[in-house]
Amino acid sequence: MTGTERIEEGALDGVRVVDLASVVMGPYATQILGDLGADVIKIESPAGDSTRVTRPQRHEGMGALALNVNRNKRSVVLDLKTGPGHEAALRLIRGADVLVTNMRPGALERLGLSYDDLARENPKLIYCNAQGFRSDSDRAGLAAYDEIVQASSGMADLMRRATGTPTYAPTILADKLCALTIVYSVLAALVRQRATGRGQRVEVPMADTMLAFNLVEHLAGHTFEPAEGPMGFNRSMTPGHRAVRTSDGWACILPYNEKNIRDFFTAVDRPGLAADPRFGDPASRAKHYGELYEEIEKVAVERTTAEWQELCARLSVPFAPVLELEDAETDPYFTDGGVLSVAEHPTEGKYRQIGSPVLLSETPASVRSHCPSLGEHTEEVLAEIGYSAAEIAEVSVR
C-alpha cells in the first residue's frame, strides 16, 4: 500500500477515537485502532506531541518516530488550559466512542478531564487511561518512562539473572506492550458498549501490565504455595541462551525436543551427544540446558549459515538466521508481506512505512492517511462538530 488510496472499510469503521496521548504508548495504540478503521482525532497541545521532535527528521515537527505512530489520524491543536480550547475538547469527546490518554490522573483532574467528569458528558464513552502505576496506589503520580517501568516490573532483574547486570531491553518494550494491552482492552469495552450502550473506565497501569507479562513463565516454582522451586524460566535464564556464531555469520539453532536433539547431533557426527541422557527427556534437559547450548555452539562454527539452514530444514530442527535490522528493508518475506514498504508523504517525501502485521480477510487493516502535520485538521474537525468560521478562529491557536 502507498498509504494514499482508499480501500475496504476496516473492522472499526464508524468508531471515533479521541487521542489525548503523547510519546509512544498511547499514540501507538491509537494508530493501531486507526489502522483497523477507526476515525482517530489526535488532540495536540500547541507544542505538539513529543514524538514530533525526535530525530532524525527532514522538517521540524515530523520526526521519524512520529511518522510511524501517528498515521490514520487527524491532528487538532487545542490549548486545554483555555476556556475555548477546553470546551472544544469536551465537544469532541461528547461525540466520541473512545478516549485514550496517558496523562497522569492528577493532571486530568485539574483539567476537568477525569473519568467522572467525562462520563457525565458522554455515558457511552470508553475512557482508557494508561499510566505508570495504578491510580488507587501511592505511586499514582510518579513519572513512568519505559526504563522506569522495566525496573519496577522485574524486567531489569530478568536481565540481571540472564546477563549479570540489571540492564534494560534495547527496545521500548513497556511502552509497546502496554499499547497492545490498550488495544485489546478497548476492543473488549467496545463489544460491551455495542451491546449495552454504556461506556466504562479502562485503566492500563504499565508496571502491573509488565509484571503480569513477565510472570507468565518466570513465576515458575513460585506458582505453587509453598514454592516448588525458584522463580525464573530455566531455559531462557541459562547462560548460553543466545544466537550462535556460524562460520560466516550468526544464527539461532534450536534443537527443541528429544527427536530434534537426536537427529541434530547424529547429522553432525556426534553420536555420543545424540544419546546423551542429559538431553534425553524434559526433566533432564531442564537441569542441563547450559551444556546443551555449549555443545550446539561448538559445532555451529563448522558450517555456514546457509548450510545450517538447509540441514535444519531437512531435519525439521527449528532454525533462523539472525536478521540484521537493515536487511529487513530488502528481505522478501517482510517486503512482500507489507511490514515494510516505501510510501510517499505529502510533505516528507519518500519514507519507510511500518505496515500492520495483522491479516484480516474481510476487513483488512489499511493505511488511509499519513502522519498529519501539527494542527492540520483543526478547522475541518471543528467544523464537523458545528463550529462556525468565527468560532474556529477564536479556538485556533496561532
Side-chain angles (χ1 to χ4, degrees):
M1 301 173 198
T2 64
T4 57
E5 67 270 25
R6 188 84 181 177
I7 67 166
E8 298 95 333
E9 287 185 352
L12 298 183
D13 189 71
V15 172
R16 173 163 284 189
V17 177
V18 171
D19 174 350
L20 189 58
S22 61
V23 199
V24 172
M25 175 177 59
Y28 184 37
T30 54
Q31 175 175 280
I32 293 171
L33 296 172
D35 290 352
L36 294 174
D39 175 22
V40 181
I41 298 173
K42 182 176 180 66
I43 297 177
E44 300 190 65
S45 72
D49 184 346
S50 60
T51 60
R52 291 189 178 277
V53 301
T54 57
R55 266 43 180 183
Q57 57 182 240
R58 288 174 177 158
H59 300 99
E60 288 297 323
M62 297 298 278
L65 186 55
L67 290 174
N68 273 307
V69 295
N70 285 312
R71 65 166 176 254
N72 286 336
K73 302 179 185 181
R74 295 189 286 170
S75 172
V76 174
V77 169
L78 297 174
D79 185 347
L80 301 180
K81 296 177 181 179
T82 67
H86 187 270
E87 174 56 28
L90 284 181
R91 285 175 66 169
L92 280 171
I93 293 167
R94 287 186 194 116
D97 296 287
V98 179
L99 170 72
V100 175
T101 180
N102 61 344
M103 295 175 67
R104 294 185 217 173
L108 290 165
E109 288 179 9
R110 288 191 295 274
L111 287 170
L113 297 175
S114 70
Y115 172 67
D116 290 339
D117 294 326
L118 298 183
R120 288 191 293 269
E121 300 282 342
N122 180 0
K124 75 167 187 176
L125 182 69
I126 295 164
Y127 180 106
C128 182
N129 183 213
Q131 68 278 332
F133 305 95
R134 288 190 321 279
S135 60
D136 63 355
S137 74
D138 59 0
R139 304 184 192 180
L142 298 180
Y145 292 94
D146 193 88
E147 294 88 346
I148 299 297
V149 176
Q150 289 197 39
S152 300
S153 64
M155 188 68 213
D157 183 56
L158 286 175
M159 296 297 290
R160 177 191 64 79
R161 292 167 186 245
T163 68
T165 304
T167 56
Y168 311 120
T171 182
I172 47 174
L173 182 63
D175 274 357
K176 293 185 288 185
L177 173 67
C178 292
L180 299 179
T181 305
I182 290 170
V183 171
Y184 76 67
S185 302
V186 165
L187 293 178
L190 277 168
V191 171
R192 180 67 174 169
Q193 183 207 60
R194 291 307 191 249
T196 67
R198 296 195 302 274
Q200 61 182 296
R201 183 179 183 183
V202 176
E203 184 170 332
V204 180
M206 297 176 72
D208 304 55
T209 301
M210 277 296 296
L211 179 63
F213 175 81
N214 288 332
L215 291 182
V216 168
E217 76 277 35
H218 289 297
L219 189 56
H222 281 239
T223 301
F224 305 96
E225 181 58 41
E228 293 290 336
M231 280 193 172
F233 186 54
N234 194 40
R235 185 167 68 85
S236 54
M237 290 287 96
T238 300
H241 183 250
R242 56 178 175 258
V244 294
R245 186 180 288 280
T246 66
S247 66
D248 65 348
W250 295 88
C252 173
I253 302 174
L254 195 67
Y256 195 78
N257 55 33
E258 292 92 318
K259 184 178 186 304
N260 282 166
I261 292 168
R262 184 175 62 251
D263 292 349
F264 177 81
F265 285 120
T266 298
V268 299
D269 197 26
R270 302 294 196 280
L273 294 172
D276 195 316
R278 293 176 299 171
F279 315 137
D281 62 76
S284 296
R285 271 199 308 283
K287 299 175 183 177
H288 299 288
Y289 276 125
E291 294 98 312
L292 176 60
Y293 296 153
E294 286 177 12
E295 297 298 343
I296 295 169
E297 194 165 7
K298 288 176 186 176
V299 300
V301 294
E302 297 176 359
R303 304 185 188 215
T304 66
T305 301
E307 288 170 338
W308 282 121
Q309 188 160 25
E310 186 279 327
L311 175 68
C312 289
R314 179 161 50 84
L315 299 175
S316 294
V317 170
F319 170 91
V322 170
L323 176 78
E324 294 188 11
L325 287 179
E326 291 82 359
D327 291 342
E329 298 172 358
T330 55
D331 186 318
Y333 175 81
F334 295 112
T335 56
D336 291 353
V339 179
L340 265 183
S341 62
V342 175
E344 185 79 26
H345 191 281
T347 62
E348 305 311 298
K350 291 187 183 299
Y351 77 106
R352 283 194 171 81
Q353 179 175 267
I354 305 168
S356 171
V358 178
L359 305 176
L360 287 81
S361 64
E362 297 298 318
T363 53
S366 65
V367 179
R368 302 180 304 284
S369 60
H370 300 282
C371 172
S373 60
L374 179 62
E376 180 178 337
H377 301 99
T378 302
E379 294 184 10
E380 172 185 299
V381 170
L382 293 183
E384 286 177 5
I385 59 172
Y387 274 73
S388 67
E391 290 172 322
I392 291 171
E394 182 183 1
V395 172
S396 294
V397 179
R398 300 299 179 184

